[in-house]
Amino acid sequence: MRVPGYGLIDRDAPLKFRFDNDWVKGYAGDTVASALLAQGTRLMGRSFKYHRPRGPLTADSAEPNALITTHDGARRIPNVRATVQPAIHGLRTRSQNAWPSLGLDVLEVNDLAAPFLGAGFYYKTFMWPPKAWEKLYEPLIRRAAGLGALSGDPDPWRQEKAFAHCDLLVVGGGPAGLMAAREAAEAGADVILADEDEILGGRLTREAEAVDGRPGHAWAAETVAALRAMGVRVMPRTTVTGAYDGGTYGALERVSHHLADPHPDLPRDCFWRIAAKSCVLAAGALERHIAFPMNDRPGIMLGSAVRAYLRRWGVAPGHRIAIFTTSDDGHRTAADLRAAGIEVPAVIDPREDAPEGAIRGEVVGTSGRLGLTRIEIRPSGGGRRWIECDALAVSGGWNPTLHLTCHLGARPVWDETLATFVPRDGAVPGMTVAGAAAGLFSTAQALESGREAAQAALARIGRQHASTALPKADATPPRQIAPLDVRGPKGTRHRAWLDFQNDVTVKDVRQAAQENYASVEHMKRYTTQGMATDQGKTSNVAALAVLADATGRGIPETGTTTFRPPFSPVPISAMGAGATGAGFAPERLTTSDPAMRARGAPMIETGLWYRPGWFPQGDEDWRAACSREAAMVRTTVGVADVSTLGKIDIQGPGAAALLDFVYANSFSTLKEGRVRYGLMLREDGHVMDDGTTARLGPQHYVMTTTTAAADQVMRHLEFVTQCLRPDLDVALISTTEQWAQFSVAGPRARETVQSIVAEPVTDETFPFMACGPVTVAGTPGRLFRISFSGEHAYEIAVPSRYGAHLWRDLLARAEALGGGPYGMEALNVLRIEKGFITHSEITGRVTAFDIGMDRMISERKDCIGKAASRRPALLENREEMVGLRSLGGAPITAGAHLYREGDRPDAPNDQGYVTSPCWSPALGAHIALGFLRNGRSRHGEVVRMVDRVRGHQTRVEIVDPVQFDPKGGRARG
Amino acid sequence: MANLIARSPAEGLLPLANGDATLSEVVPEAITSLMALDGATFPLPGPGRSTQRGGGLLLWSGRNQALLVGPRPDPIPQIAMTDQSDAWAVLRLEGPAARAVLARLTPLDLRDAGLGEGRVARSLLGHMPALFHRAGPDRYELFVFRSMTGTAVHEVERAMRGVAARG
C-alpha cells in the first residue's frame, strides 16, 4: 500500500503497465516491484528448482527472486529484475517459470519432492543409463527448472558499445561516491561517476538520513547538480560490471529501459569500456538474510528493502510488518515504519542486549502458501507462539559490495570485529575502496572515507588539492552483529534457504560437507549455490558460514569462492553491439564492385574482400557460366579484377638484399622492367606465400602477394626488417589500396590492351614477364605481362580513382572482340588446368619440395626457411603435388582422399588427398590438383578417390600437375 | 580516346548529417607516404604529431613513416616516397557531437590530453584500421582504407544516429 507523504516518485505522473494479465497502476519513479507491492502483490516469481512462490527480497540489483520477462515477441527480455526495471507506461511484463499461472503452478509438485531433490541430486539420480543424460534427463530438467527464455528470433534491439577515459572513475553514487567525485572534481580531475540507480544518492535515497541538516536525498541531488556543473560525467543506470587489467573497467548503461517510447535509434544498452587512471569503489553493501526455517515466502524481505520501499517509493510492503534482526538496523526499520503509521506487531532480536521493547528470541517457522500470513517465534524464555503478519523485515548485518576488488584475483579479508569480509588492500591497482564497501557503515564515515579515497587517487595521478569541508551526518555505525548468524533447523523437515535463486538450503550445504565436498569451491559446485544469474549476492557469505560451521573451521579458513566479472548480467548483444550480419566484419570492395553486381555476379568472400564468382548470362547456372568464361579466356579475351592481391612497395639500397632474404629464389639478379615469380618460406621451411615481384628501378621493387596472405606477408616483412635484418636500408609500404589492377587474358589480350595503352605493346617492348610504366587513356599506369591462366595475358594497373571507369572501358573493348568478364570460378579452372597453386595447395604444412619447387631454393644465397627446409623429414617420402584426371566421367571432389586400388579406404592406407577440383572445358574432363605420397614418380598410375563426407568415389589417373599447354607456349606467345 | 574519369572513395555516400555531427569527404590533392632511408636529413614528425610542410600537412603515420597530405612533393634526398593518394578515404567528422560519435568507434583517448588539436593516432575505427587526425576543436579527419569506405561510413552513421537519439 502507498504511504502518503513518502517517496521520491512523481504522484502527478500516474502510469499503467501489465503484469501477466493484470494492469498495474504506478507512478513515474516506480520500479515494477514497487508498483506491484503498492497494490499488494507480493508474489512475483517462482523459484528455479522447487517452483516455490517468491516475492522480492531486495530493492536493488542483488535481487534473486523477482525476475520477470519484459516486452513481447522477438524483443522479449528475460530475467529482468523487477526491483531494477523502472515502471513505464504500457510496458508488458510477465512472470517466469510458472505454468499455467503464477498462482497455480503445476510444477510446484517439485516442492513436495524436495526431500529427494537435495544437493548432488542430478549427479546421483541421472547417472544411468549414460546415454539418457543428453537425450532424456537434461531436456527434462531444463524444461522443469529454469528462468526466462529468449524468443529464439534474431534480436531486433539496437545495442551500442563505447569507450571512455578519465582520471578517476567513481563506482557508486552514495555518500562516499558523491564525496569522492566532488573532491576530485574540485581538484580539476576528469571524473566519471557511475551508479546503478536512476537517482543518485545510494542509501540516502532510501533512508531517513540527514546530511548538512537537509534530507539526504536532497543533499545528494544538489551535489549531483554541482558535479555536473563542474564537468563530472554522471552516468546513472550504469553498472560497473568488471575490473580488468591496466585500469580498464567494463560498465553496462541501461539506456532506454526506462522509456515508454524510445527513439528508434536509441540503443537499449550501451556497454562501456572505461580506461581510468584511478578508481574509487563506493559500491555500498548488501544486507544479509537470516537462515531461519521457511524463510523464503513472499512478504519476507530484507529490512533495508522495507525501508527503501517506504522512503524511496512511498510503499509499505505489508499492513502488519514484523521484524527479525540481529543488528540495530531492525530497530531502525521498526522506528521508520511506526513513524509512517504502519503496524509493527513484533521486533524479534536474539541478541542478549536486545533493546527494550524487542522480543528476545528467534523466528522458527512461517506459514502462507502464496504469501506470508504469520510467523512462529521462540522467545529465549521458552515456548513458541505464532504472530500474525503479512510481511517480515529481516536484518542480518551487512556484506560490503567488494566484488570488483576480487576481479583481478585477490581474495577478501575476514574482519573479526565487523563480522564480515572486507576488501584486501591493493587488490586492484589504482583502486581505493570507500564507505560501506570498505566496511565503514555510518554516513559520516562514508563521506569522510570518500574524501580520503579521492585524495589518495589524486595523489596517485599527481594532483594536489586542499580538502573540501565534510558535510555533517550521522556518525553512528550499526552495532556489532556477531556472530554471523547460522541458524537453520536441525532435524526438522523445514528448510532454511540460503540461495533463493538456485534453491539451496542450509541442509544442502551441510550435506555437501558430510559428503566431503568440504572446500568452498566444491560445495558451490555440488549444491549450485551462487551459480544463478544473481551469482549468490545475497547468499555467498551465509553459505560459507554454514559450511564453516558444518566443517568445524573458522570462516577465514573456509574462505570465499571467486568473484568474477561481470558483477551483474551483461547482454552479449551489448558487448558485441553492431557486430551482427554485415556488421560482423568490414567489407572490402573493389572499384569494380558496383559494376560487377550490376551484372548479377554473386560475390564471394575472400578474407574481407568480395570477389565475383561468375557473371551469369541468361539462365546459366554457375557451372555453365564458369565453363563459358574459362573457354572465352582460352579462345578470345577475358577481364578480371585482381586488385585484391597484396601489393607492397619496396625501396632503398637494401631492397634487393631484402627480397633475396625473404624469397627462396633470387631477386637481386632480376633486371629492371622485369617480373619474376617468387616463393616465400616460413622460418620452419614450409611455404608461406607466392607471387610475382617486379623491379621498377635499381632500388625499387613492387611485390605481389596472394589476396589471402597479404596481411601476413606485410607483417612478415616488417618483422624481418625490424628484427632480423635491421642492417638493411629499406623502406616498405603497402600499396594494395592505391592501385586498381585488372587481368586481361586470352589470345586477343594484346589487342584489347593496345587499344587503351598509348605505348606500343609488342613482344619486343613487353615480352613475357616484362613490366613498365604506360599511359592508360591519358592516365599514368603500370603494365605487367604476367599470366595466371596460361594464356597471353597482362595485368594493367591505374590509380584506384580510375578503377571503376577502366573496368567498364576494358569490358567494352573485350566484349567487342567476343570476350568479357570472368569470375573466380573460371579463374580457378584456368589455373588448375595449368597446375598453378593457391592457398588451397600451400596450406601451411606444404614445402617447396612438395609442390615441385625445391629447385627454386637458391644454392647461391641464404633465405628464411632454407636451413629448415633441408631437414630429411621435409624431403623424403612426402605427399607430392600431382594432377588428377577422373576416369569414367565422375567428378573429383575437394577434400577426398586417395587410396591404392584394392586397398581398404581407411587411415592407415591413406595415400593423399584432393585440394582443387574442377570441370575442365579445355580438356573435357574432371581434373584436379592434389597431393599423393611420392606422387611425382607415380604419373600414369590409377588410384581410387574416396570422399567419405559426400559418400562419393571414383577412379582417377595420376598426371602431371600442368595438364594444359605443358610447354607454356601460349603465355609466351 | 577519352580520358578516364576519377571517382572519389565516398562518392554517392557523403555528406550526411545527424544531430550535432556531420560527416563529409575530403579529397586532398595528393597523399604521399614519406619514409627515411639512411642518411636522410629531412625530419619526419615524431609519433602522434603533425606539421605543416611545403603547403601540405605532414602526418605521422607509423614507424619511420609520414603521410604528406597536399601537393605532390618534389624528390627529397634519402626519402622514399610512394603515392598513396588513391589508397585512403579521408572522412571529416565535425560538430559538437563528433567526439561522442567517435567514442562509439575507437578506443583512443579523445580528450585534449590524449588527442589534442593537431595530434595524430593510428587505431581502430570499429573493426577497421584507421588514422585519426584531430584537425580542430570539434573536427576529426579519419583516414580509412579506400576499399572499406562503405563500411566506415555505415559505422560512423550508425554511431551518429545513436548519439543524436540521446538528445
Side-chain angles (χ1 to χ4, degrees):
Chain A
M1 66 175 180
R2 290 284 177 189
V3 184
Y6 278 81
L8 306 178
I9 50 172
D10 183 355
R11 286 173 201 259
D12 294 330
L15 53 84
K16 280 199 300 188
F17 64 92
R18 284 184 73 180
F19 178 65
D20 288 335
N21 294 319
D22 302 328
W23 283 98
V24 181
K25 288 179 187 166
Y27 299 102
D30 262 326
T31 61
V32 167
S34 71
L36 283 167
L37 286 172
Q39 67 164 26
T41 304
R42 292 173 296 173
L43 175 61
M44 297 187 197
R46 289 276 177 166
S47 70
F48 184 78
K49 196 157 101 183
Y50 301 134
H51 289 251
R52 297 271 300 172
R54 293 280 169 78
L57 180 69
T58 72
D60 54 42
S61 69
E63 178 58 35
N65 288 337
L67 299 186
I68 56 170
T69 296
T70 65
H71 299 82
D72 277 317
R75 301 182 86 81
R76 178 203 294 185
I77 312 174
N79 304 335
V80 174
R81 291 153 294 185
T83 52
V84 172
Q85 172 63 44
I88 52 181
H89 190 68
L91 182 68
R92 180 90 166 83
T93 71
R94 268 160 296 149
S95 56
Q96 301 181 161
N97 203 27
W99 186 85
S101 73
L102 192 54
L104 176 70
D105 180 1
V106 170
L107 282 171
E108 200 174 327
V109 65
N110 279 8
D111 197 34
L112 301 175
F116 312 105
L117 298 177
F121 160 68
Y122 299 154
Y123 311 120
K124 291 168 186 161
T125 313
F126 295 116
M127 290 297 289
W128 189 91
K131 276 192 175 164
W133 173 256
E134 205 175 305
K135 292 212 156 56
L136 178 65
Y137 298 141
E138 193 183 336
L140 206 71
I141 292 166
R142 282 196 185 277
R143 201 161 310 145
L147 300 171
L150 291 162
S151 71
D153 295 322
D155 184 0
W157 287 101
R158 219 183 108 84
Q159 295 282 48
E160 190 177 72
K161 58 188 177 194
F163 300 88
H165 300 258
C166 61
D167 295 334
L168 176 65
L169 169 66
V170 181
V171 182
L178 289 172
M179 202 59 210
R182 194 171 100 183
E183 182 77 6
E186 283 180 1
D190 191 6
V191 181
I192 292 177
L193 170 60
D195 191 277
E196 286 197 314
D197 206 339
E198 56 184 341
I199 304 177
L200 273 70
R203 291 304 302 174
L204 295 179
T205 67
R206 294 156 184 242
E207 303 276 12
E209 280 285 338
V211 179
D212 258 356
R214 295 192 296 285
H217 65 85
W219 178 83
E222 286 164 27
T223 306
V224 169
L227 291 175
R228 285 187 201 272
M230 282 190 281
V232 171
R233 186 160 172 178
V234 180
M235 299 178 70
R237 303 180 198 91
T238 303
T239 309
V240 177
T241 55
Y244 304 90
D245 285 334
T248 303
Y249 297 84
L252 183 75
E253 180 188 11
R254 289 173 296 281
V255 180
S256 60
H257 292 252
H258 62 295
L259 300 174
D261 185 22
H263 189 287
D265 287 340
L266 199 63
R268 188 181 97 193
D269 307 295
C270 182
F271 186 70
W272 290 89
R273 289 161 175 86
I274 302 172
K277 284 184 188 161
S278 192
C279 175
V280 171
L281 178 68
L286 298 169
E287 198 170 35
R288 295 170 183 158
H289 199 18
I290 301 174
F292 57 88
M294 305 314 274
N295 60 346
D296 72 327
R297 298 191 193 281
I300 300 176
M301 62 175 71
L302 298 174
S304 58
V306 170
R307 296 198 302 279
Y309 285 114
L310 178 65
R311 292 281 166 186
R312 172 72 180 273
W313 293 285
V315 170
H319 296 89
R320 284 169 54 85
I321 305 177
I323 287 161
F324 183 25
T325 182
T326 60
S327 77
D328 286 358
D329 284 296
H331 302 280
R332 177 179 201 166
T333 311
D336 269 16
L337 289 172
R338 283 177 176 141
I342 297 150
E343 193 182 348
V344 179
V347 180
I348 301 109
D349 186 336
R351 295 177 299 174
E352 286 186 6
D353 55 350
E356 202 135 321
I359 301 170
R360 265 207 63 210
E362 57 188 315
V363 177
V364 291
T366 67
S367 70
R369 194 176 74 85
L370 296 177
L372 186 69
T373 54
R374 51 190 190 141
I375 57 172
E376 187 181 23
I377 65 165
R378 184 171 61 204
S380 56
R384 285 173 180 235
R385 64 187 162 96
W386 289 90
I387 294 174
E388 305 283 322
C389 60
D390 57 359
L392 177 68
V394 184
S395 294
W398 295 85
N399 293 322
T401 308
L402 44 70
H403 304 65
L404 287 181
T405 67
C406 303
H407 283 183
L408 296 186
R411 298 292 172 111
V413 185
W414 179 252
D415 185 314
E416 206 62 58
T417 318
L418 293 170
T420 192
F421 282 100
V422 293
R424 188 176 290 275
D425 281 340
V428 172
M431 177 191 280
T432 311
V433 189
L440 302 165
F441 291 109
S442 79
T443 304
Q445 283 176 313
L447 292 165
E448 189 181 355
S449 70
R451 187 177 69 174
E452 282 173 11
Q455 285 166 345
L458 291 169
R460 271 199 299 274
I461 59 173
R463 279 180 193 269
Q464 301 248 308
H465 179 61
S467 294
T468 50
L470 279 178
K472 288 190 188 64
D474 181 18
T476 331
R479 234 169 13 143
Q480 170 68 16
I481 47 160
L484 176 60
D485 219 274
V486 183
R487 252 140 243 280
K490 290 175 187 169
T492 78
R493 67 183 187 82
H494 294 300
R495 288 162 286 166
W497 270 266
L498 295 165
D499 184 328
F500 287 69
Q501 204 174 90
N502 259 355
D503 273 334
V504 178
T505 65
V506 169
K507 188 183 134 204
D508 294 325
V509 175
R510 291 194 192 282
Q511 188 185 334
Q514 271 171 18
E515 297 182 8
N516 207 25
Y517 291 94
S519 133
V520 67
E521 297 284 3
H522 290 158
M523 177 278 286
K524 168 181 169 153
R525 283 153 185 84
Y526 196 54
T527 62
T528 73
Q529 183 276 321
M531 290 168 65
T533 62
D534 70 339
Q535 291 285 290
K537 288 194 181 57
T538 54
S539 65
N540 286 332
V541 176
L544 73 90
V546 172
L547 184 67
D549 183 60
T551 55
R553 293 172 299 190
I555 289 174
E557 291 77 48
T558 303
T560 60
T561 51
T562 313
F563 297 114
R564 296 188 183 88
F567 171 73
S568 57
V570 178
I572 288 171
S573 60
M575 289 186 185
T580 54
F584 181 70
E587 295 177 333
R588 298 186 80 175
L589 305 182
T590 62
T591 55
S592 64
D593 190 87
M596 296 194 295
R597 287 176 201 262
R599 282 176 177 260
M603 304 306 280
I604 296 171
E605 288 176 51
T606 32
L608 298 177
W609 287 103
Y610 286 78
R611 305 187 72 184
W614 59 94
F615 294 88
Q617 288 184 0
D619 51 6
E620 274 179 343
D621 65 4
W622 75 268
R623 199 169 117 188
C626 167
S627 293
R628 174 183 49 73
E629 289 168 15
M632 173 186 78
V633 173
R634 296 262 181 253
T635 54
T636 55
V637 59
V639 182
D641 193 329
V642 293
S643 311
T644 60
L645 271 69
K647 297 177 273 294
I648 301 168
D649 199 51
I650 301 168
Q651 298 185 47
L658 172 69
L659 289 168
D660 279 351
F661 189 63
V662 296
Y663 272 131
N665 48 330
S666 286
F667 280 80
S668 50
T669 54
L670 182 67
K671 291 187 173 63
E672 270 181 65
R674 289 304 170 109
V675 186
R676 183 171 287 170
Y677 175 79
L679 194 69
M680 202 177 281
L681 305 183
R682 290 193 313 236
E683 194 72 88
D684 65 5
H686 292 75
V687 177
M688 175 190 277
D689 197 40
D690 71 340
T692 58
T693 286
R695 189 167 200 170
L696 303 182
Q699 300 182 3
H700 190 189
Y701 291 82
V702 173
M703 176 188 286
T704 308
T705 73
T706 58
T707 301
D711 294 357
Q712 186 193 0
V713 170
M714 188 70 201
R715 265 202 316 275
H716 179 63
L717 294 188
E718 289 189 337
F719 174 75
V720 170
T721 50
Q722 289 177 39
C723 304
L724 303 181
R725 297 298 305 274
D727 57 301
L728 296 177
D729 186 18
V730 65
L732 49 99
I733 189 166
S734 168
T735 54
T736 307
E737 298 272 345
Q738 167 69 17
W739 297 94
Q741 195 152 319
F742 305 111
S743 163
V744 183
R748 305 191 76 173
R750 179 181 288 156
E751 249 177 292
T752 311
V753 168
Q754 185 65 82
S755 73
I756 196 168
V757 166
E759 294 77 3
V761 180
T762 66
D763 277 340
E764 285 68 45
T765 59
F766 278 93
F768 185 56
M769 300 302 268
C771 70
V774 289
T775 309
V776 185
T779 298
R782 291 171 177 172
L783 189 66
F784 305 84
R785 177 141 174 218
I786 51 179
S787 176
F788 194 53
S789 58
E791 294 302 316
H792 186 135
Y794 301 84
E795 287 188 14
I796 183 166
V798 291
S800 295
R801 71 184 65 187
Y802 302 114
H805 190 176
L806 181 59
W807 170 258
R808 285 196 307 275
D809 198 316
L810 274 176
L811 273 197
R813 290 165 199 274
E815 282 172 338
L817 298 172
Y822 65 104
M824 296 295 291
E825 294 293 350
L827 187 140
N828 207 33
V829 168
L830 296 165
R831 68 97 189 168
I832 294 170
E833 288 173 344
K834 286 295 296 175
F836 294 144
I837 56 169
T838 67
H839 279 277
S840 296
E841 281 70 42
I842 44 173
T843 53
R845 50 184 285 271
V846 166
T847 64
F849 177 87
D850 297 344
I851 53 173
M853 296 191 188
D854 197 49
R855 278 181 305 172
M856 280 183 71
I857 303 176
S858 172
E859 299 281 336
R860 293 191 301 275
K861 66 173 185 68
D862 193 15
C863 72
I864 290 178
K866 180 173 176 176
S869 74
R870 301 297 92 192
R871 291 177 289 172
L874 298 190
L875 294 167
E876 290 161 15
N877 198 27
R878 300 284 299 174
E879 287 170 341
E880 298 167 356
M881 191 169 86
V882 292
L884 304 169
R885 197 177 289 214
S886 174
L887 301 174
I892 305 176
T893 50
H897 280 246
L898 305 174
Y899 303 91
R900 281 200 176 89
E901 286 204 291
D903 273 0
R904 263 174 68 91
D906 55 14
N909 291 326
D910 194 22
Q911 290 284 299
Y913 53 96
V914 179
T915 53
S916 302
C918 73
W919 164 257
S920 164
L923 300 167
H926 287 286
I927 64 166
L929 294 176
F931 287 81
L932 183 72
R933 179 90 40 211
N934 299 316
R936 279 193 290 275
S937 59
R938 295 169 68 177
H939 292 178
E941 189 179 326
V942 173
V943 298
R944 189 145 67 106
M945 180 212 87
V946 179
D947 186 335
R948 288 189 174 277
V949 176
R950 300 177 183 88
H952 168 65
Q953 54 176 295
T954 186
R955 295 169 72 234
V956 295
E957 185 188 348
I958 306 305
V959 296
D960 191 273
V962 187
Q963 302 196 45
F964 182 78
D965 186 26
K967 294 208 162 67
R970 296 172 74 91
R972 291 188 179 84
Chain B
M1 192 185 311
N3 283 352
L4 295 177
I5 298 165
R7 194 178 162 87
S8 74
E11 203 167 304
L13 298 173
L14 294 176
L16 55 91
N18 205 327
D20 289 329
T22 59
L23 187 69
S24 55
E25 185 180 15
V26 179
V27 183
E29 184 185 337
I31 302 174
T32 311
S33 66
L34 274 55
M35 285 175 285
L37 297 169
D38 288 354
T41 53
F42 183 88
L44 296 178
R49 298 190 177 272
S50 67
T51 52
Q52 291 287 338
R53 200 52 75 84
L57 192 60
L58 195 57
L59 307 174
W60 170 89
S61 62
R63 176 185 163 272
N64 181 34
Q65 192 192 94
L67 297 181
L68 182 65
V69 182
R72 286 180 197 278
D74 294 328
I76 304 169
Q78 294 307 105
I79 294 287
M81 290 186 187
T82 305
D83 186 8
Q84 299 282 9
S85 309
D86 294 51
W88 298 95
V90 187
L91 310 179
R92 177 177 288 163
L93 179 66
E94 57 192 332
R99 191 192 294 188
V101 171
L102 271 193
R104 265 83 191 149
L105 296 167
T106 178
L108 282 177
D109 183 356
L110 299 165
R111 298 174 299 162
D112 290 348
L115 191 72
E117 271 185 70
R119 286 300 192 126
V120 184
R122 287 197 86 146
S123 184
L124 287 175
L125 182 81
H127 294 142
M128 290 164 284
L131 177 75
F132 297 77
H133 173 222
R134 175 98 179 263
D138 287 333
R139 178 185 295 173
Y140 299 85
E141 283 171 358
L142 319 172
F143 289 61
V144 296
F145 289 167
R146 182 188 188 102
S147 65
M148 297 189 188
T149 311
T151 300
V153 169
H154 173 78
E155 293 267 322
V156 176
E157 192 212 354
R158 186 177 186 278
M160 283 166 76
R161 283 195 281 122
V163 169
R166 288 186 183 233

